[in-house]
Amino acid sequence: MSESYDRGRIEDFGRWTEFSAGMWAWIFHKFTGWILIGYLFTHIAVLSTSLQGASVYTNTLHGLESILLVRFLEVGLLAVAVFHILNGVRLLFVDLGLGLEQQDKSFYASLVLTGAIVVASVPTFLGGAL
Amino acid sequence: MAERYSSFESGTTLWFLQRATAAFLVVVLAFHFFNLHFVTHAAEITFQGSQVRMQSLGYFITMVLFLVTAAFHGVNGIYNALINAGLDGAQKRAAQLVLGVASLLLVVQGIRVATTLAGF
């Protein structure tokens, strides 16, 4: 059984030194969520070049992928997506009332696993661009 | 006892849909990233390759569902973040309108892209 909890206004970032692991998880989840929805609009805009013809679509994607900065941004996007997925799974368990006592440890595990997956993926994402 | 806090009013339809779409997106977002970065590298994507994938009905339906659920989950997440920040009254109504129209345009444009790639 859960209880209501007055956590104060998390948007008052002047309180950041008081934030617990759960509050940092909340902030990171919102932050990565904002990036992902922003990216979704950008992604559909780029893919919309398909409406102008096959060569425009292919040339646009190849042109973007030839830019080193875009490859690094994709690594950043991977980090954001992986954290949002892993913390999302954590939140689904929390909502089901499972692992509430370990919710801080599962947040740290999400961070560590995100870091490991992103580092292991760097060669794939930068392959051919360096 | 562990405390529990959420931006959502627990038990509402939007609360449930946010979690139902999350469960779907966890799997499909991971699949999408893996498929288009590790199986097929992003730098090797071509119109013809995308067309072959999209002409598979299962893939096409999965991608359209991915678009619809991601648009809902993302826009509903933004809406709840704004409500959590204290949005109310006319501002809340304006946010509903702007976010609703934006997500509708996103889904319509995404489906146009999907049908073009599939050659339908």
Side-chain angles (χ1 to χ4, degrees), chain A residues 1 48 51 57-58 62 95, chain B residues 1 4 19 45 50 109 116:
Chain A
M1 187 71 185
S48 293
L51 302 174
Y57 175 85
T58 302
H62 287 181
D95 269 329
Chain B
M1 180 137 197
R4 186 172 174 177
R19 275 134 192 88
I45 290 173
S50 298
Q109 183 65 4
T116 301

Side-chain angles (χ1 to χ4, degrees), chain A residues 1-2 5 7 11 26 30 34 37 40-41 48 50-51 54 57-58 61-62 65 71 78 95 121 124-125, chain B residues 1-5 7 19 26 33 37-38 41-43 45-47 50 74 78 84-85 102 106 109 113 116:
Chain A
M1 187 71 185
S2 62
Y5 173 66
R7 58 169 167 74
E11 293 77 11
W26 188 92
K30 293 289 173 193
W34 279 94
I37 186 65
L40 179 57
F41 279 87
S48 293
S50 63
L51 302 174
Y57 175 85
T58 302
L61 293 186
H62 287 181
E65 287 296 321
R71 298 294 191 99
L78 176 75
D95 269 329
S121 302
T124 300
F125 275 70
Chain B
M1 180 137 197
E3 297 88 358
R4 186 172 174 177
Y5 34 85
S7 321
R19 275 134 192 88
V26 158
F33 238 102
H37 282 283
F38 294 89
H41 294 281
I45 290 173
T46 61
F47 185 92
S50 298
I78 288 176
N84 214 47
L106 179 71
Q109 183 65 4
V113 168
T116 301

Side-chain angles (χ1 to χ4, degrees), chain A residues 30-52:
Chain A
K30 293 289 173 193
F31 176 70
T32 52
W34 279 94
I35 291 176
L36 288 172
I37 186 65
Y39 175 74
L40 179 57
F41 279 87
T42 310
H43 192 44
I44 294 298
V46 170
L47 298 184
S48 293
T49 54
S50 63
L51 302 174
Q52 294 164 29

Side-chain angles (χ1 to χ4, degrees), chain A residues 30 32-41 44 84, chain B residues 7-8 14 17-18 21-22 25 66-84 87 92-108:
Chain A
K30 293 289 173 193
T32 52
W34 279 94
I35 291 176
L36 288 172
I37 186 65
Y39 175 74
L40 179 57
F41 279 87
I44 294 298
H84 202 82
Chain B
S7 321
F8 294 80
L14 288 179
L17 287 176
Q18 190 72 358
T21 53
L25 288 167
F66 182 28
L67 172 70
V68 173
T69 51
F72 170 81
H73 188 86
V75 169
N76 192 45
I78 288 176
Y79 177 65
N80 281 285
L82 293 174
I83 296 300
N84 214 47
L87 211 66
K92 182 178 172 181
R93 188 76 199 120
Q96 286 173 341
L97 190 67
V98 171
L99 291 172
V101 170
S103 56
L104 190 64
L105 289 174
L106 179 71
V107 169
V108 168

Side-chain angles (χ1 to χ4, degrees), chain B residues 10 26-28 49 70 77 85:
Chain B
S10 178
V26 158
V27 177
V28 182

